[in-house]
């Protein structure tokens, strides 16, 4: 199966090229960089440090049309949606890791999935997807007596906030508590904001240095606190998840899937 990597020279792009080179059953078909990039024409394997791949980087998905089966896209919302329109038109599968999409953008991605299989997840690590199930269990057991706060930390270059993973964690906890995240989320606090309401879910964001991705969900009760934490120490954990998803999509019909489908972790909510 041939893989195209969008944003090949990005933090995730480079690691994804390495992951393709290590995966059984997958082959690098194309590596796409920003138009005008000085990396156009450079060997993608050499750029990512895995040695010559024979695939020269290009600057446009249309130039790769005949060279791939699955597009792996970890970039930014506008570009991912443009690529989804292309994949829909040309019958290509997609693995999407891009975060920071608003509701309208997510809807647009699901429309593309009416015609092609797309796996879309804010975090492709096995650990985070297991944590999502732990969070559901904890929230159901602890209930409304425990205040929920979600704290995430990422590297200084991250553009979206809070992280896609933190938002998904919030959705899972809110769902388990019978709340609507859009109504109960509070993002950061500053000034004389008054006492915390009992039903809010707070989000705190830290940005700095080279933190790959830390997430903690705090359930704070009277007399005790429960903290469920995941720490990513290498982007390879996300890249391996993306490869697993690309292989999993091979025999799937059109539709929007997530990493819990790939890992067979889906639970009744
Ligand atoms: N789902 C998951 O498991 C994970 C998701 N992510 C998400 O992945 C996304 C990317 O993260 P990260 O790799 O750190 O970001 P980067 O900014 O490092 O990577 C994005 C890359 O896309 C390139 N790019 C810009 N425009 C184009 C274009 N028109 N065509 C092709 N490439 C283009 C950028 O080039 P340039 O820099 O020159 O503009 C950059 O190299 C984020 O949304 C992040 O949250 C990250 C990790 C895990
Ligand atoms: O931008 C990142 O780096 C990451 N983004 C994802 C997110 O927004 O949740 C996943 C991971 O935490 C790394």
């Amino acid at each position: 199966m041939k893989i195209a990597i969008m944003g090949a020279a990005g933090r995730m792009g480079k690691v994804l090229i390495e992951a393709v080179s290590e995966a059984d059953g997958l082959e690098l078909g194309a590596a796409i960089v920003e138009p005008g990039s000085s990396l156009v024409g450079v060997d993608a394997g050499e750029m990512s440090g895995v040695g010559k791949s024979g695939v020269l980087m290009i600057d446009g998905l249309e130039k790769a049309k005949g060279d791939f089966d699955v597009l792996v896209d970890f970039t930014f919302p506008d570009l991912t949606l443009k690529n989804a329109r292309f994949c829909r038109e040309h019958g290509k599968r997609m693995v999407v890791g891009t975060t920071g999409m608003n509701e309208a953008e997510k809807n647009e991605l699901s429309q593309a999935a009416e015609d092609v299989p797309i796996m879309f997840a804010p975090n492709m690590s096995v650990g985070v997807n297991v944590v999502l199930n732990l969070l559901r269990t904890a929230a159901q057991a602890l209930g409304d007596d425990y205040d929920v706060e979600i704290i995430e930390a990422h590297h200084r270059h991250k553009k979206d906030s809070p992280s896609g993973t933190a938002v998904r964690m919030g959705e899972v906890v809110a769902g388990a508590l019978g709340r609507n995240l859009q109504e109960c989320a509070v993002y950061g606090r500053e000034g004389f904001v008054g006492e915390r309401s009992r039903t809010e879910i707070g989000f705190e964001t830290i940005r700095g240095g080279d933190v790959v991705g830390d997430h903690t969900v705090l359930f704070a009760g009277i007399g005790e606190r429960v903290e469920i934490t995941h720490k990513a120490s290498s982007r390879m954990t996300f890249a391996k998840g993306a490869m697993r998803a690309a292989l999993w999509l091979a025999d799937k019909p059109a539709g929007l899937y997530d990493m819990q489908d790939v890992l067979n972790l889906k639970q009744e909510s």
Side-chain angles (χ1 to χ4, degrees):
M1 187 190 302
K2 284 192 167 179
I3 303 293
I5 306 291
M6 182 57 55
R11 277 173 291 278
M12 277 305 298
K14 288 190 194 112
V15 184
L16 287 162
I17 290 170
E18 191 182 341
V20 175
S21 76
E22 291 172 4
D24 288 337
L26 299 181
E27 186 189 334
L28 187 65
I32 300 114
V33 291
E34 196 174 9
S37 166
S38 58
L39 290 167
V40 172
V42 171
D43 186 280
E46 287 184 338
M47 182 272 307
S48 74
V50 296
K52 215 175 181 64
S53 64
V55 175
L56 304 184
M57 289 185 282
I58 53 172
D59 62 352
L61 190 52
E62 49 300 331
K63 295 180 186 162
K65 200 164 70 181
D67 296 331
F68 74 99
D69 306 298
V70 184
L71 177 66
V72 177
D73 187 330
F74 286 61
T75 58
F76 52 90
D78 278 356
L79 180 58
T80 298
L81 291 177
K82 183 174 165 228
N83 295 334
R85 290 191 283 276
F86 178 95
C87 287
R88 183 180 197 179
E89 191 182 332
H90 296 282
K92 307 284 189 182
R93 303 186 283 278
M94 274 186 106
V95 171
V96 176
T98 301
T99 57
M101 284 189 209
N102 60 32
E103 285 311 306
E105 289 166 335
K106 285 181 193 167
N107 283 339
E108 201 180 327
L109 191 66
S110 31
Q111 279 165 25
E114 287 168 9
D115 290 325
V116 286
I118 299 179
M119 201 295 291
F120 171 47
N123 197 308
M124 297 192 196
S125 83
V126 176
V128 156
N129 284 281
V130 170
V131 164
L132 292 177
N133 286 2
L134 298 178
L135 291 174
R136 189 176 292 111
T137 303
Q140 280 165 349
L142 297 170
D144 289 334
D145 287 342
Y146 289 71
D147 300 327
V148 182
E149 295 284 313
I150 301 177
I151 305 113
E152 58 100 336
H154 283 84
H155 52 94
R156 61 166 69 125
H157 301 290
K158 186 162 176 62
K159 297 191 178 92
D160 56 310
S161 170
S163 70
T165 308
V167 174
R168 177 59 52 82
M169 288 173 162
E171 288 166 351
V172 167
V173 172
L177 293 170
R179 300 177 202 164
N180 178 338
L181 186 65
Q182 283 175 4
E183 287 164 9
C184 68
V186 172
Y187 300 100
R189 295 183 184 88
E190 187 190 22
F192 196 78
V193 294
E195 280 186 22
R196 184 189 201 288
S197 77
R198 295 297 305 281
T199 53
E200 70 196 45
I201 295 180
F203 288 84
E204 324 300 333
T205 294
I206 295 160
R207 293 285 175 266
D210 61 358
V211 181
V212 174
D214 294 353
H215 293 90
T216 293
V217 181
L218 164 68
F219 296 87
I222 302 303
E224 65 173 358
R225 295 191 297 278
V226 177
E227 292 182 12
I228 298 179
T229 294
H230 178 273
K231 294 187 182 196
S233 48
S234 162
R235 291 188 173 83
M236 189 49 91
T237 187
F238 312 128
K240 282 197 182 301
M243 298 305 112
R244 200 160 162 172
L247 287 162
W248 183 87
L249 279 180
D251 60 357
K252 297 296 174 292
L256 189 66
Y257 303 97
D258 67 23
M259 205 59 199
Q260 299 248 314
D261 295 308
V262 175
L263 299 172
N264 204 16
L265 286 171
K266 218 142 219 180
Q267 293 179 327
E268 296 296 312
S269 43

